Amino acid sequence: MEHDKTPAIVFDHVSVTRSGLNILDNVNATIPRGSWAVLIGPNGAGKTTLLLALLGEVNYRGRIELGGGKGLRIGYVPQKLNLDRGMPFTVAEFLAMGIQKRPLWLGISRSAREEAAHLLEMVHASHIMKRRVGTLSGGEMQRVLLALALQQKPELLVLDEPSAGVDFEGGRLFCELLEDLRATQGFTQIMVSHDLGMVAHHATCVICLKRRVVAQGAPQDVLTGPVLQSLFGMHMGLICAESHIHRAPTLAPFDPEAALPLTELRPLEQVRQECAEQEKHHV
Amino acid sequence: MFDISWLLSLASHFPLDGMDMRFMQQALLALVLLAPMTAALGVQVVHYRMAFFSDAVGHSAFAGVAVGLLLGIHPHVSMPLFGLGVGLAIMFMQRYSALPSDTVIGVVFSAVVAGGLAVVSRDNTIARDLQQFLYGDILTMTEADLCWLILLFAAFLLFQLLAFNPLLYAGTSGIIARAHRIRVALCEYCFAALLALVVMFSVWGVGVLLVTALLIVPAACARNLAQTAGGMFWWAILVSLSSAVAGLALSVQPWMGTATGATIILVSCAWFLVSVLVSASRNENRL
Ligand SMILES: Nc1ncnc2c1ncn2[C@@H]1O[C@H](COP(=O)(O)OP(=O)(O)O)[C@@H](O)[C@H]1O
Ligand SMILES: [Mg+2]
């Protein structure tokens, strides 16, 4: 990826109407190259719809420009896959189907097998190469889907709620994996997430969506009480603090800047104390 | 069209009573061509959840014959062409309609069956052909039909070589496949066209009622027996081919005297029972 100053994605007055319902209303947003952009917003805010518009899967009015009009190679990781779980279909085949020209019924070629193994290594899942796709857990499936997306050598990685159905530890590891991959591969990344702690820690660009863009910018500018209040409603203080509790032990070294808006809602020391207490209870 | 007598003389060496007769050679050749096609496409039908699609195309056979007779076209030409049209129309409507796909298919299904019955009810001379399409009759395949079947087989082979992986990709998730620059629409239209033609030829073999079984049962066996997607393809072909040949051999025995199509399906259902037992003994039974 050359040092191109054009933004990776420009949403220019994007509107989507379905069944007479305004799902997205004049969405304007710019995502710079190399950023980790996160869409946040309540259920039904239109986050998935915006990603699908980006992929060209839904009709929209307005303009979406990728790579300054030149287009970008996309890797896509969906929220979940509707798989026939009993289907004989191995992880190796799942990855090879996009790599090799030779049909899978003539076997997996050596080079495809090597590339598949390399991709799995990249997502730290080498051990599941021989497993059936239908027997994978949510977190394992997510890694395989990520490997499939990485196989595209994407310039833009699109992820829809990759942490849904994965425990906090799994979600954290997945985000750290993405952080490493983005550093080595240099792609731009746009994802939907509900984990505000993760957003505060990793995102470089946050878009708050609720049918229209409520706020956008760097996390410390966007994740403020008033914005979250208008985005999620009354109970946000609580949710926010809760996600903070789960995150706090992992934020080492602690980044006060990223967490500043969150600590406004609750004194930091109190949160830490509660964390320590929680851990005692668990032991 | 082209000379297939060497293929027929090859078939005559098959160790079965009556293979010296022309129609038996033709029937065997037709089955050996049809069985792998229905098996492999059946695997994809299962993966794509398109059983209802193939059922609808199969049921359009009768309307195809009726239309052919009305227009003075030979049924063996009008029927595949009509089925091809119905298959592509369903695919097109599925892509551009907001309705769920089984609703779209249900509407087309009703239209073609009603159309066929309407024509038949006007003209009684067509009605006697009805039975042939309900039960099928592989023994009435002509040499010209076989030539077409060989061409279809070549197209099938080409499709499976070029499009097996992309189609698997698209069947896993159309959105991912499109985002990853797979030509999903092209694959799906080619698949629908091929499937429609194979279904129409299969109607001759086993009849309207059993066409879907010819696609689904070998795939279901293979799902139980195989460990990989590539293995499933070969298992389905093995099950389908062995059922077809055994079904033909059994059906012409004097003590059986059953319809060939039904016998083939019964053999493959026996295969299915075996596959269930094998899968259960592997302790991964998900019945
Ligand atoms: N195909 C559709 N037809 C009509 N409405 C839809 C369709 N898909 C989504 N919606 C509506 O669009 C809104 C946004 O959905 P979505 O983008 O999935 O939200 P999110 O991902 O933010 O939870 C929801 O209110 C949903 O009901
Ligand atoms: Mg969503």
Side-chain angles (χ1 to χ4, degrees), chain A residues 47-48 79 160-161 192:
Chain A
K47 305 179 296 294
T48 299
Q79 187 169 350
D160 195 350
E161 288 191 47
V192 173

Side-chain angles (χ1 to χ4, degrees), chain A residues 212-274:
Chain A
R212 51 187 190 80
V213 176
V214 175
Q216 64 175 308
Q220 61 268 31
D221 302 330
V222 171
L223 297 180
T224 59
V227 169
L228 296 176
Q229 190 88 9
S230 74
L231 200 57
F232 294 102
M234 294 298 285
H235 305 296
M236 203 44 229
L238 187 67
I239 295 168
C240 205
E242 256 175 18
S243 77
H244 198 70
I245 288 171
H246 287 289
R247 300 292 311 166
T250 66
L251 291 177
F254 189 69
D255 180 4
E257 233 178 41
L260 203 57
L262 300 179
T263 50
E264 278 171 11
L265 300 165
R266 242 164 168 194
L268 178 61
E269 269 322 302
Q270 191 189 335
V271 173
R272 280 195 166 151
Q273 241 167 25
E274 282 174 17

Side-chain angles (χ1 to χ4, degrees), chain A residues 13-281:
Chain A
H13 294 89
V14 174
S15 300
V16 173
T17 310
R18 267 185 149 171
S19 326
L21 212 73
N22 236 351
I23 297 175
L24 290 175
D25 187 13
N26 274 317
V27 170
N28 289 307
T30 303
I31 293 164
R33 268 175 204 261
S35 54
W36 177 323
V38 181
L39 288 171
I40 62 173
N43 288 328
K47 305 179 296 294
T48 299
T49 307
L50 189 63
L51 292 189
L52 290 179
L54 173 70
L55 296 174
E57 291 288 328
V58 298
N59 293 326
Y60 56 89
R61 292 185 307 283
R63 203 167 53 92
I64 300 178
E65 203 175 85
L66 293 181
K70 285 197 292 272
L72 293 173
R73 226 177 13 256
I74 291 177
Y76 172 59
V77 181
Q79 187 169 350
K80 71 177 205 291
L81 202 55
N82 252 336
L83 265 184
D84 173 2
R85 284 195 159 255
M87 180 89 174
F89 192 14
T90 64
V91 172
E93 285 180 314
F94 188 81
L95 294 173
M97 74 181 173
I99 300 172
Q100 63 176 32
K101 288 263 181 290
R102 183 207 288 189
L104 285 177
W105 47 272
L106 289 177
I108 303 176
S109 70
R110 233 191 49 207
S111 61
R113 194 177 289 280
E114 275 163 14
E115 191 178 336
H118 175 65
L119 286 166
L120 283 178
E121 211 172 293
M122 263 162 74
V123 299
H124 304 311
S126 301
H127 57 289
I128 58 176
M129 178 91 166
K130 290 205 176 75
R131 293 261 299 278
R132 276 193 189 193
V133 178
T135 64
L136 299 181
S137 74
E140 288 166 334
M141 190 63 214
Q142 193 181 68
R143 275 154 200 261
V144 172
L145 288 170
L146 178 61
L148 191 73
L150 290 174
Q151 193 248 308
Q152 293 294 312
K153 307 214 164 35
E155 295 165 303
L156 174 66
L157 192 63
V158 179
L159 305 101
D160 195 350
E161 288 191 47
S163 315
V166 177
D167 61 14
F168 280 97
E169 186 61 11
R172 183 179 69 83
L173 290 173
F174 193 71
C175 286
E176 279 170 10
L177 177 63
L178 285 172
E179 187 79 72
D180 288 346
L181 287 169
R182 199 169 58 93
T184 51
Q185 316 260 313
F187 47 72
T188 309
Q189 185 177 313
I190 181 167
M191 69 190 283
V192 173
S193 179
H194 288 298
D195 182 353
L196 294 182
M198 184 290 285
V199 175
H201 193 60
H202 291 286
T204 62
C205 169
V206 181
I207 298 170
C208 304
L209 196 68
K210 192 175 180 181
R211 206 159 58 81
R212 51 187 190 80
V213 176
V214 175
Q216 64 175 308
Q220 61 268 31
D221 302 330
V222 171
L223 297 180
T224 59
V227 169
L228 296 176
Q229 190 88 9
S230 74
L231 200 57
F232 294 102
M234 294 298 285
H235 305 296
M236 203 44 229
L238 187 67
I239 295 168
C240 205
E242 256 175 18
S243 77
H244 198 70
I245 288 171
H246 287 289
R247 300 292 311 166
T250 66
L251 291 177
F254 189 69
D255 180 4
E257 233 178 41
L260 203 57
L262 300 179
T263 50
E264 278 171 11
L265 300 165
R266 242 164 168 194
L268 178 61
E269 269 322 302
Q270 191 189 335
V271 173
R272 280 195 166 151
Q273 241 167 25
E274 282 174 17
C275 282
E277 268 172 26
Q278 265 203 343
E279 264 172 19
K280 266 187 226 147
H281 279 297

Side-chain angles (χ1 to χ4, degrees), chain B residues 159-246:
Chain B
F159 179 81
Q160 294 299 338
L161 278 172
L162 294 178
F164 183 88
N165 297 356
L167 196 66
L168 193 61
Y169 216 136
T172 303
S173 160
I175 299 181
I176 301 182
R178 275 187 291 272
H180 293 175
R181 295 169 299 150
I182 303 287
R183 292 160 82 178
V184 174
L186 182 68
C187 275
E188 286 181 349
Y189 275 118
C190 289
F191 176 58
L194 193 60
L195 181 59
L197 287 174
V198 169
V199 162
M200 284 320 222
F201 273 91
S202 306
V203 168
W204 280 320
V206 297
V208 170
L209 297 176
L210 291 175
V211 163
T212 308
L214 203 56
L215 291 162
I216 301 304
V217 178
C221 297
R223 196 171 176 278
N224 284 334
L225 296 169
Q227 303 288 350
T228 63
M232 188 167 165
F233 179 90
W234 290 112
W235 270 113
I237 288 178
L238 178 72
V239 168
S240 177
L241 204 52
S242 60
S243 307
V245 173

Side-chain angles (χ1 to χ4, degrees), chain B residues 37 104 246 273:
Chain B
M37 290 201 274
V104 170
L273 283 181

